[in-house]
Each structure stands twice: as structure tokens, then as C-alpha cells.
């Protein structure tokens, strides 16, 4: 069999991400003076780092005394501490990933150091620009440990200022956005403006209000591409899709094909058919042969996190927190109607949606589709 070739581009153009934004008006609709007043231009952007009264912060960074961090300071910090990394954005409540980018930013821990010594801290709260209506605040939080200490093989949370080799657009949450690599989108606050250091130990996440698990992290799961639903008998049938590589990594993608059972593709989560399903392997596409063409101009593969300096190739494949592509070719199918499902197996050996089928900590139900083979 020939090695399947990647069919989709690796990075999503910033304007083609599926947008998930609250707010009225949405910050990216502001222009001119309103945009400047919102401090959402590179010249007017500021980041505050303050205590909520429960911690002691040696050098708080505040708007009122002109000590808030500006864009130039952040970019300067990036010259020393900046990291480029690949990551897909995914919403806790939307199955398909929203898009994948090459992000660039400074680890949040380096930015926090600009506020000096902090005592009595347990959590980091942060929010993005919003209007004066408190109901519009989009905020969330991380525990202090996860900000300051991440294992060397994991990406830390970032204060990000570039996407796909360009400044982050207003549409994608620029000029500066938080990116929490292992988390769903709601931790990656757009239009970042304020960090509050607190002794509180509880999550304050806006997303926790809708019964979402505020500590959920990215799940490994397979998704099906759209495509033809009719084929001719005798012709090979190629089906493709993507897989999100979550925190627990991706071992393989599998498919299950069976004759259509006449339920319009519906199969209850507790249907005994799941237990008898025969799963067979799909092929995961290899990394692009030439990373140069897959990365933004001027970005060297060896400078991307997780790539080997000597070879310019990713050390692991598929890359965690990114999107893998898979394909399978079905041969000699008899005429008839079929149901096709795909699932992932993570590096722990868990088949999707296990080990945590609870969907409010990240959607990952097994997807399926139907197709017909005509004589
Ligand atoms: N300030 C702000 N940041 C935000 C949001 C928001 O509404 N306001 N939505 C969050 C959610 S729920 C998701 S899934 C991601 C979506 O990122 P995207 O619009 O860049 O795809 O942004 C997150 N950051
Ligand atoms: Mo989301």
C-alpha cells in the first residue's frame, strides 16, 4: 500500500477557526477609538497583575500607576523565553476541534515574575476584555502549581502574542491571548487583560457555571470528515477523518463497519452491539515530509517545541494537543447500506469515549456515518 498523503493543510488560517466568543458587542467588532479605549491595539494593550487582597504581591502591575505590562515588554521577554508550539483549539462542548495553530508566547510563569515575590498564593485568576456588564466577564483560573511547574516534557500555560507567524488577530483574541496547551478552549482566554493572584483555592471559571468540569483537559477522540455517501460496488472506498490528540496521547484509530441496521445511524450508548463490535485499524498519516512548507514562512522546524534540533522532525508523532489525520480504504464491499464508526485508542489503551464517558468534561462520543454501495 502507498503511504497515504496528507490531504488537509496542517495549520488553520486564523480567520477560519470556528469562533466561540461571548460578549456584546463582541470585542472583534470594535474599531477606531472604541478599540483603543478597550486597550485592544498593540499600542494600547496592557496586562495587569494584581492581588485580590488575599495575597501579597511585591510589585503589582497596575493601570492606575502606569506599571501594567505593555506589548513591547512582552515581546522583549519573548526574545529570551518565547516558545513556538503547535496546538489545536477545541471547545469543551463542541465535538470537532475549532482549528490548529502555531502559537508563540511567553510561559505565564515568566510573565508573573515581573510582579516580583508573591506570598500566600494558591490560584491564578485571569480574564479578557469585556464591557461593564459583569455578566459579560469571561474569566477562568489555574492552580499556581500548574502555572509555575510543568514537567519538562509538557508545555506550560502561555501568554501568547503570535499565531501562524503573525501577530494574533483581534478576531482570534489578540493582541494577547492566554493559551493553556492541555485544556479546552475556555482556559485560553482571548483579549487577555488582567491576572489576579489569589489565596482562593476554588476555580472561578465562567465555564463552570454551565455544569462543565473546570479542570477538564483535552480528550483523545476521532472525527469523521464529510464526504460522499454513495459509492459504486467494486470501487475502493476511502474514508478519512481527524483525531484530536489529547493529554493521554494517541496510539491508533480504529473503524467499525457493519450493515445498516435501519436506525439512521443511531446507537444508544448502552447498546449491547458495542460489546460485539469488530474494530479494525485505520492508517494515521505520517508527518509532512517537508515541514518547511507546512509551517509559516520564516519558522524553522527545529525551533518548534517538540521537534528535534538535529533533524527538524517532531520527536513524537502524532503530536499531543494537535490534530492527526487518518484514512482507511475499504475494498470489495457488496452492494448495500452500511454504518461506519471510528474511535481512538489512547496511549493508556483506553478506547474512546472511555475512561470518562461524562461529556461535560469534554465531548468525545464515538462518531458514525452511513453510506450506500450501489451495484
Ligand atoms: N475573552 C474571551 N475568551 C474566550 C472566550 C470568550 O467568550 N471570551 N471563549 C472561550 C471558549 S469557550 C473557547 S472554546 C475558545 C474559542 O477560541 P477561538 O474562538 O479562537 O476558536 O475561546 C475561549 N476564550
Ligand atoms: Mo468553549
Amino acid at each position: 500500500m502507498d503511504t497515504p498523503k496528507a490531504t488537509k493543510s496542517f495549520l488553520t488560517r486564523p480567520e477560519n477557526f470556528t469562533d466561540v466568543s461571548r460578549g456584546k458587542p463582541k470585542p472583534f467588532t470594535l474599531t477606531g477609538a472604541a478599540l483603543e479605549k478597550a486597550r485592544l491595539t498593540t499600542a494600547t494593550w496592557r496586562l495587569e497583575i494584581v492581588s485580590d487582597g488575599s495575597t501579597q504581591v511585591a510589585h503589582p502591575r497596575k493601570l492606575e500607576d502606569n506599571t501594567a505590562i505593555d506589548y513591547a515588554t512582552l515581546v522583549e521577554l519573548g526574545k529570551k523565553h518565547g516558545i513556538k508550539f503547535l496546538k489545536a483549539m477545541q471547545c469543551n462542548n463542541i465535538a470537532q476541534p475549532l482549528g490548529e495553530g502555531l502559537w508563540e508566547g511567553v510561559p505565564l510563569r515568566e510573565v508573573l515574575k515581573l510582579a516580583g515575590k508573591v506570598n500566600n498564593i494558591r490560584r491564578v485568576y485571569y480574564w479578557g476584555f469585556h464591557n461593564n456588564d459583569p455578566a459579560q466577564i469571561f474569566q477562568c483560573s489555574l492552580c499556581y502549581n500548574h502555572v509555575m511547574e510543568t514537567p519538562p516534557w509538557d508545555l506550560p500555560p502561555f501568554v501568547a502574542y503570535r499565531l501562524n507567524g503573525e501577530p494574533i488577530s483581534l478576531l482570534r483574541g489578540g493582541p494577547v491571548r492566554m493559551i493553556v496547551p492541555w485544556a479546552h478552549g475556555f482556559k485560553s482566554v482571548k483579549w487577555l487583560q488582567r491576572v489576579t493572584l489569589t489565596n482562593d483555592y476554588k476555580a472561578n471559571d465562567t465555564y463552570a457555571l454551565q455544569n462543565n468540569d473546570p479542570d477538564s483537559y483535552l480528550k483523545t477522540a476521532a472525527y469523521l470528515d464529510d464526504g460522499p455517501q454513495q459509492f459504486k460496488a467494486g470501487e475502493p472506498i476511502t474514508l478519512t477523518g481527524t483525531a484530536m490528540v489529547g493529554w493521554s496521547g494517541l496510539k491508533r484509530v480504529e473503524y467499525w463497519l457493519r450493515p445498516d441496521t435501519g436506525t439512521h445511524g443511531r446507537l444508544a450508548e448502552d447498546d449491547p452491539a458495542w460489546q460485539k463490535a469488530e474494530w479494525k485499524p485505520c492508517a494515521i498519516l505520517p508527518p509532512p515530509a517537508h515541514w518547511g512548507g507546512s509551517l509559516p514562512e520564516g519558522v524553522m522546524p527545529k525551533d518548534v517545541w517538540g521537534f528535534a534540533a538535529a533533524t527538524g522532525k517532531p520527536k513524537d508523532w502524532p503530536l499531543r494537543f494537535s490534530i492527526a489525520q487518518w484514512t482507511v480504504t475499504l475494498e470489495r464491499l457488496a452492494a448495500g447500506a452500511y454504518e461506519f464508526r471510528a474511535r481512538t485508542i489512547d496511549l493508556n489503551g483506553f478506547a474512546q469515549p472511555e475512561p470518562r464517558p461524562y461529556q461535560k468534561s469534554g465531548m468525545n462520543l464515538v462518531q458514525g456515518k452511513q453510506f450506500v454501495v450501489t451495484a
Side-chain angles (χ1 to χ4, degrees):
M1 197 175 96
D2 289 345
T3 312
K5 299 236 161 41
T7 49
K8 284 154 279 200
S9 68
F10 205 72
L11 301 179
T12 312
R13 295 166 68 99
E15 63 276 22
N16 290 343
F17 276 58
T18 305
D19 187 84
V20 181
S21 300
R22 300 169 164 234
K24 276 189 201 121
K26 296 207 193 291
F28 53 76
T29 62
L30 300 176
T31 55
L35 192 61
E36 288 189 14
K37 188 162 170 269
R39 290 186 279 114
L40 288 175
T41 64
T42 49
T44 55
W45 179 81
R46 297 289 184 279
L47 179 66
E48 292 192 282
I49 305 179
V50 295
S51 167
D52 66 351
S54 64
T55 55
Q56 293 84 47
V57 180
H59 304 294
R61 301 300 202 118
K62 297 184 198 163
L63 280 176
E64 61 190 47
D65 63 5
N66 242 337
T67 53
I69 294 158
D70 62 14
Y71 190 78
T73 302
L74 182 65
V75 172
E76 192 55 36
L77 202 59
K79 288 184 186 155
K80 186 154 182 226
H81 298 288
I83 295 179
K84 299 182 178 79
F85 58 99
L86 290 158
K87 173 192 158 50
M89 193 60 64
Q90 183 171 34
C91 184
N92 197 60
N93 296 315
I94 301 174
Q96 291 275 1
L98 307 172
E100 171 149 313
L102 178 85
W103 302 89
E104 185 174 345
V106 180
L108 174 57
R109 62 171 174 258
E110 299 300 334
V111 177
L112 292 192
K113 283 181 192 165
L114 299 180
K117 194 169 175 352
V118 185
N119 278 335
N120 213 26
I121 177 171
R122 290 197 279 182
R123 240 177 140 74
V124 177
Y125 288 170
Y126 50 100
W127 76 45
F129 169 79
H130 58 88
N131 69 15
N132 291 328
D133 175 0
Q136 305 256 344
I137 297 179
F138 193 88
Q139 64 183 13
C140 70
S141 65
L142 289 165
C143 80
Y144 185 59
N145 290 280
H146 289 178
V147 173
M148 302 309 285
E149 294 172 67
T150 35
W153 52 88
D154 261 338
L155 287 161
F158 287 95
V159 178
Y161 50 86
R162 287 178 85 79
L163 169 60
N164 294 355
E166 285 170 14
I168 301 179
S169 63
L170 187 60
L171 181 64
R172 275 289 64 70
V176 177
R177 169 177 195 168
M178 193 73 84
I179 295 286
V180 180
W182 63 78
H184 289 95
F186 67 87
K187 292 280 188 198
S188 293
V189 162
K190 295 184 275 197
W191 313 294
L192 180 71
Q193 295 196 322
R194 189 178 167 104
V195 170
T196 305
L197 306 176
T198 180
N199 181 252
D200 200 344
Y201 58 89
K202 293 190 223 72
N204 69 341
D205 298 38
T206 301
Y207 244 50
L209 297 176
Q210 293 139 357
N211 199 31
N212 300 303
D213 174 355
D215 282 326
S216 69
Y217 47 80
L218 289 169
K219 301 301 174 310
T220 298
Y223 307 100
L224 309 183
D225 288 344
D226 293 335
Q229 283 171 305
Q230 277 220 349
F231 302 92
K232 283 211 180 82
E235 285 176 1
I237 297 167
T238 297
L239 298 173
T240 61
T242 55
M244 182 72 200
V245 187
W247 207 5
S248 55
L250 173 64
K251 189 182 283 173
R252 63 177 184 275
V253 177
E254 305 177 328
Y255 74 94
W256 169 28
L257 182 76
R258 67 169 186 170
D260 192 3
T261 54
T263 58
H264 305 284
R266 280 192 290 271
L267 184 59
E269 279 167 53
D270 55 356
D271 195 297
W274 289 109
Q275 305 306 322
K276 292 191 210 115
E278 262 186 67
W279 294 91
K280 295 179 182 162
C282 301
I284 294 174
L285 300 197
H290 303 289
W291 275 96
S294 303
L295 295 174
E297 206 158 329
V299 175
M300 306 296 288
K302 68 172 177 57
D303 294 334
V304 178
W305 194 88
F307 284 54
T311 61
K313 292 190 160 68
K315 292 183 213 163
D316 290 314
W317 191 261
L319 287 166
R320 273 196 320 164
F321 313 136
S322 75
I323 298 170
Q325 297 178 22
W326 57 264
T327 174
V328 64
T329 300
L330 310 167
E331 317 249 14
R332 291 184 292 276
L333 282 191
Y338 292 89
E339 287 173 21
F340 175 93
R341 292 185 171 78
R343 72 175 186 187
T344 53
I345 308 291
D346 73 10
L347 291 176
N348 289 316
F350 286 119
Q352 183 190 336
E354 297 299 335
R356 177 219 40 91
Y358 177 59
Q359 296 300 296
K360 289 306 275 180
S361 64
M363 285 184 76
N364 73 337
L365 288 179
V366 173
Q367 294 194 336
K369 69 175 182 186
Q370 298 155 280
F371 64 86
V372 174
V373 178
T374 55

